[in-house]
Each structure stands twice: as structure tokens, then as C-alpha cells.
Amino acid sequence: MVLSRRGVVIGGLALVAVGATGNIVQAAVAKSFFAGTASDNNFVYRKTNFAKIDKRWHRQIVKYFSSEPVGTVVVDTRHHFLYVIMENKTAIRYGVGVGKDGFKWYGRATIDRRALWPQWVPPPEMRKRRPDLPPMVAGGASNNPLGPRALYLHRNGADTGYRLHGTLEPWSIGTDASSGCIRMFPEDIIDLYQRCPIGTAVEVLPHIADQAPASTTVE
């Protein structure tokens, strides 16, 4: 089979058109995860379209049995849930995104710093993997991956480098998507921020939901 120059050019243009169409479709799908905007502390963020989100990842109060003190934050990385332990064997459960393979971490920490609309400074290890990243992204910028809040996890007085924070990618909640940090819907990290004063205990576990009853939602 002999290809003419005209055939090669047409074929190349067709591939470009397919690629462009794919990008348009991806952009449209991503846009469907948002529903307008909201204002918070003089910044604007894109609201999550929760009609597009599986209900298992919606914030809800569930039955929860734990020996941890009320107020403790417990993260189940396998099942992608974060719990804030409440009274009467209940907890507030949030859907979260967790670290990808090779980036997961487990253990205890405390929230020793909290930030409204934090700036983002990519750690050196991340910049080695992604040299295209900027050295810093200002708080409230549209490309700031931390979103409206960040809770900084420390252990024995030292910053672990991990945070609980918002996300620009609501479709990533319920998946292994981050470089180790725990990401949440913007609305959920705003809610969590209000519930977690400095000193809040955090425990990150491989999994805990296997120990819970099959039906845990509190109506």
C-alpha cells in the first residue's frame, strides 16, 4: 500500500480533529461536576454539583463505634472515608481522595496549623517529578489545588508534609489520586475546618470500614 502525501496530511488532520474532539468532551465532562460559584472570605470557588456525585461520597452522619475520643479525625484510606467522631456512637463521614500507590501513609498526627485560602508551595520531591510546577501558587488562585482551606498535620511538633485540603477535581473523591494528602470537596473542607481546632488528633489507617455494620447511615 502506497501512501500519498495528500493522504498522509489528511490522515494527520483527522487525528488532530479526533484529539481536539476528545479534549472538548473531557472538558465538558469536567464542567458537569460543578454548579455555579460561591463566595467565601472574599474569594470565589466553584461549587460542587452533588447531583453528579455518587451519594456514598456525600457528607452524612453515620453510626460509628470507636474507642477514640470525641472530636478525633479518623481516615480510612482503603474505603476513601474521613470520620469526625461524635457522641452517642456516631460520626460525620466525608468522602475523600487519598494517596496513589507509593504515596500512601498511615499513622497518628495532630492538626497544628489551619489556613483559610492557603498558598500552595509544591514540595521539592514533587517539583522533581513535575518540573513544570510553579514554585508557589497564591491562596485563592483558580489553579491552587488546596482550595479554600488546609489543615496541616504534624507529628511530635514537626510538619509531616501532609494536609487535609480541598480539591479542584471533585471527580477524584473516592479514588487514589493525590501525592499523599487527603483531599475533600471544597464544601466539606470548609465544614471540617470549623470542627477541627488546633490540636485535633488525626489517625490515618489502611482501612476501618470493614468493621462497620453493613448499613451505617443515620436518618
Side-chain angles (χ1 to χ4, degrees):
M1 175 176 159
V2 179
L3 292 176
S4 67
R5 181 177 182 278
R6 181 172 180 272
V8 170
V9 170
I10 292 174
L13 291 175
L15 289 174
V16 170
V18 169
T21 301
N23 290 337
I24 292 171
V25 170
Q26 290 177 353
V29 170
K31 185 178 180 180
S32 71
F33 280 88
F34 300 99
T37 60
S39 179
D40 173 83
N41 287 274
N42 299 317
F43 290 102
V44 173
Y45 67 92
R46 300 174 79 182
K47 295 191 298 183
T48 304
N49 178 12
F50 282 101
K52 180 78 173 178
I53 304 298
D54 190 312
K55 289 186 178 180
R56 84 177 76 176
W57 310 126
H58 291 202
R59 181 168 75 243
Q60 54 194 285
I61 297 177
V62 300
K63 295 296 293 183
Y64 187 85
F65 301 89
S66 174
S67 59
E68 298 291 339
V70 171
T72 301
V73 171
V74 182
V75 182
D76 174 349
T77 58
R78 177 179 297 177
H79 297 91
H80 305 95
F81 291 127
L82 180 150
Y83 298 85
V84 177
I85 297 175
M86 300 173 65
E87 298 177 343
N88 301 319
K89 298 182 176 61
T90 62
I92 302 174
R93 190 181 77 186
Y94 308 80
V96 297
V98 302
K100 295 175 286 190
D101 285 342
F103 294 93
K104 291 183 174 67
W105 65 280
Y106 314 110
R108 291 184 178 271
T110 57
I111 295 171
D112 284 4
R113 180 187 168 202
R114 309 185 323 147
L116 291 167
W117 292 100
Q119 70 175 15
W120 180 56
V121 179
E125 299 80 7
M126 184 179 290
R127 294 199 67 198
K128 286 181 181 179
R129 298 191 305 271
R130 292 277 311 280
D132 58 306
L133 291 174
M136 187 274 288
V137 178
S142 61
N143 63 333
N144 186 319
L146 299 184
R149 305 285 189 275
L151 302 173
Y152 297 75
L153 303 184
H154 290 233
R155 183 182 295 129
N156 299 323
D159 188 350
T160 65
Y162 297 112
R163 288 87 174 89
L164 312 177
H165 62 74
T167 183
L168 300 175
E169 303 174 342
W171 54 87
S172 69
I173 300 302
T175 70
D176 300 350
S178 76
S179 295
C181 290
I182 307 301
R183 56 174 64 174
M184 307 176 70
F185 296 119
E187 295 85 353
D188 284 355
I189 191 62
I190 290 173
D191 183 82
L192 183 68
Y193 180 95
Q194 297 172 341
R195 301 178 188 277
C196 295
I198 295 295
T200 295
V202 178
E203 184 173 17
V204 180
L205 300 174
H207 67 91
I208 52 176
D210 289 341
Q211 305 166 11
S215 178
T216 57
T217 303
V218 175
E219 300 297 341

